[in-house]
Amino acid sequence: MSDSRPIEVDVAIVGGGPAGLAAAMALRAGGVARVTVLEREEAAGGIPRHCGHPPFGLREFRRLMTGPAYARHLVAAALAAGVDIRPRHSVVRLHPGGQLDLASPDGTRQMAARRVILATGVRETPRSARLIDGDRPLGVINTGALQAYTYLEQLRPFARPVIVGTELVAFSALLTCRKAGIRPVAMIEAGTRATARWPTSLAPRLLGVPLHLRTQLVEIRGRKNVEGVVAAGPDGTPREIACDGVILTGQFQPAAELVRASHLRLDAGSGGPAIDQFGRCSDPAFFAAGNLLRPVETAGWSWREGRRVGETVAQDLAGALPASTREVVIERDAHIKLVVPQRLAWPQFGAGIGDHVQLRVARAIAGTLSARANGQVIWQRPIDTLPERRILVPLDALPIPADARSILFQIDPRG
């Protein structure tokens, strides 16, 4: 006869990637006894499990590692710290106050946690959401699927693909192809320059892969397998590129299905849960960390953020997290894609996900970024940035008036 009583824990962490595992270790170091990581995959470790190339681990372990080695070290360190890791455990529902519905190979069960940390990460936008015309052949995949094929299943899905996009993950796809003996025929980017920072953007040239800027993927051709793509260059003229696969990279979205189906407030800009500077969601029993909060950061960033949120939750359980008398809402103009956090617990700053506000822009833009409160500019600086580049504004640089109810970040474009 199965036990119908809820599993009781101090903290349940949903997601066993770098953010979730770092939070778990910080909680154990902070004296929290019952810390459980719920991971839906066969093994914990997150996206790095699929990334068979460096650089990982320099900040965390003072060693240069491949993604799988880094993931193994994270899991081993968490287990050594006394963290309970439960693979193949999916959370299917979030309830107020830290109640969770679970599904595992042993069936369904409930879990009652004093606090919950959401760290479910991100996923790339699939073809179905990109509105690409053409046939529906085999061989159109994203970076995660490519890495799973090559590193986990030792399969080579194609030999001469086209890579679409130039975010950092596109260069991860490029390295994965090189390691697997796959030779991309081209890399295409709709923008006027590569999104990833220099010198990463030099990789295609060094590896002999043509990079076509201001080029749109128009159509995919092939009946059974990919036979080619049609791309439109800067002058709009379409031309066919012969290839046997398409790797759609980037355009990440938070894996926020649980949040969307729950009582928690969702932020329209980031696509993840709305939080304060401590990582606290609209239900104070729930916190969030890592790439669920914004697409997309590195494994090292997620690890650091997870650790800080874990430390904060340990303080919260001990009654040491400062109480908030009111909130200051953070708003953004149309030039800004997202802002994290979306509110500040007043008057206590610090701890949590960091001592800054992070912003991302919707398109390449240069001008003046400013923060306004009560109609007055309280902070400003010049910017020249691209989508997916983080913009950090230190909280201690914002002289927020005591009577302010909101802060507006806006960009006045140059020229």
Side-chain angles (χ1 to χ4, degrees):
M1 185 174 179
S2 62
D3 189 349
S4 61
R5 292 173 300 177
I7 304 165
E8 295 186 355
V9 299
D10 292 315
V11 181
I13 299 172
V14 186
L21 293 173
M25 287 184 276
L27 286 159
R28 291 290 295 139
V32 180
R34 300 172 300 171
V35 179
T36 296
V37 173
L38 303 165
E39 170 57 55
R40 68 179 181 179
E41 301 290 341
E42 295 283 340
I47 289 176
R49 292 176 57 231
H50 307 164
C51 301
H53 54 76
F56 291 89
L58 283 175
R59 286 183 178 271
E60 300 90 323
F61 300 111
R62 305 293 189 268
R63 291 174 54 188
L64 184 63
M65 301 177 180
T66 64
Y70 171 74
R72 288 193 296 270
H73 272 70
L74 284 177
V75 171
L79 291 172
V83 176
D84 173 26
I85 300 177
R86 302 193 182 194
R88 301 173 66 192
H89 277 63
S90 296
V91 177
V92 296
R93 191 81 178 176
L94 310 176
H95 297 285
Q99 308 296 307
L100 309 176
D101 291 345
L102 311 180
S104 76
D106 299 323
T108 59
R109 192 82 184 269
Q110 285 73 49
M111 177 172 282
R114 297 170 63 197
R115 298 292 184 274
V116 176
I117 298 176
L118 303 174
T120 49
V122 291
R123 59 173 54 92
E124 290 169 289
T125 299
R127 177 183 177 169
S128 59
R130 294 184 187 233
L131 304 178
I132 301 170
D133 201 0
D135 302 316
R136 294 291 185 270
L138 297 174
V140 182
I141 61 177
N142 60 26
T143 314
L146 170 70
Q147 292 170 335
Y149 279 131
T150 57
Y151 296 129
L152 300 185
E153 301 179 31
Q154 286 75 54
L155 298 175
R156 195 172 76 158
F158 33 57
R160 302 177 68 250
V162 166
I163 298 176
V164 181
T166 58
E167 295 176 41
L168 188 61
V169 69
F171 300 96
S172 178
L174 194 60
L175 293 175
T176 298
C177 286
R178 183 171 183 267
K179 187 176 180 67
I182 298 169
R183 298 183 177 277
V185 298
M187 201 171 191
I188 64 175
E189 164 60 46
T192 58
R193 50 180 171 168
T195 302
R197 291 183 182 276
W198 187 93
T200 305
S201 55
L202 294 178
R205 182 183 303 175
L206 295 175
L207 296 176
V209 178
L211 171 59
H212 303 290
L213 299 174
R214 298 170 62 196
T215 300
Q216 292 272 5
L217 177 62
V218 176
E219 183 181 349
I220 298 173
R221 292 181 175 173
R223 292 191 176 182
K224 183 178 180 181
N225 298 299
V226 174
E227 298 171 7
V229 301
V230 177
D235 63 355
T237 302
R239 71 182 184 93
E240 185 162 351
I241 302 173
C243 61
D244 63 354
V246 179
I247 307 172
L248 301 173
T249 70
Q251 296 187 24
F252 284 97
Q253 299 294 324
E257 294 81 5
L258 284 171
V259 177
R260 282 196 293 270
S262 77
H263 63 295
L264 298 176
R265 190 181 308 152
L266 190 78
D267 176 58
S270 68
I275 60 166
D276 67 11
Q277 75 272 32
F278 299 109
R280 186 167 41 196
C281 299
S282 54
D283 179 342
F286 288 83
F287 289 70
N291 280 325
L292 174 64
L293 297 178
R294 104 288 291 147
V296 61
E297 285 290 356
T298 63
W301 176 286
S302 298
W303 180 86
R304 291 191 298 275
E305 188 169 85
R307 182 179 63 178
R308 295 201 68 173
V309 170
E311 292 168 347
T312 300
V313 172
Q315 295 173 2
D316 190 28
L317 290 172
L321 191 64
S324 174
T325 57
R326 63 182 175 87
E327 292 182 343
V328 177
V329 176
I330 303 180
E331 301 172 331
R332 57 191 170 85
D333 74 359
H335 297 296
I336 298 172
K337 177 182 178 181
L338 63 87
V339 58
V340 179
Q342 295 80 22
R343 65 185 192 277
L344 300 176
W346 183 269
Q348 300 294 336
F349 290 163
I353 65 169
D355 302 324
H356 56 262
V357 176
Q358 181 178 151
L359 305 100
R360 302 281 181 90
V361 295
R363 60 178 178 82
I365 192 169
T368 300
L369 170 66
S370 63
R372 294 175 176 267
N374 295 341
Q376 302 296 316
V377 174
I378 60 172
W379 175 92
Q380 66 180 15
R381 83 174 191 212
I383 63 164
D384 184 353
T385 191
L386 292 171
E388 311 311 324
R389 300 276 178 89
R390 76 173 73 103
I391 304 168
L392 300 179
V393 180
L395 280 175
D396 60 10
L398 300 174
I400 302 172
D403 61 343
R405 295 291 178 175
S406 65
I407 301 170
L408 171 65
F409 283 96
Q410 66 180 56
I411 297 175
D412 295 314
R414 188 180 301 158

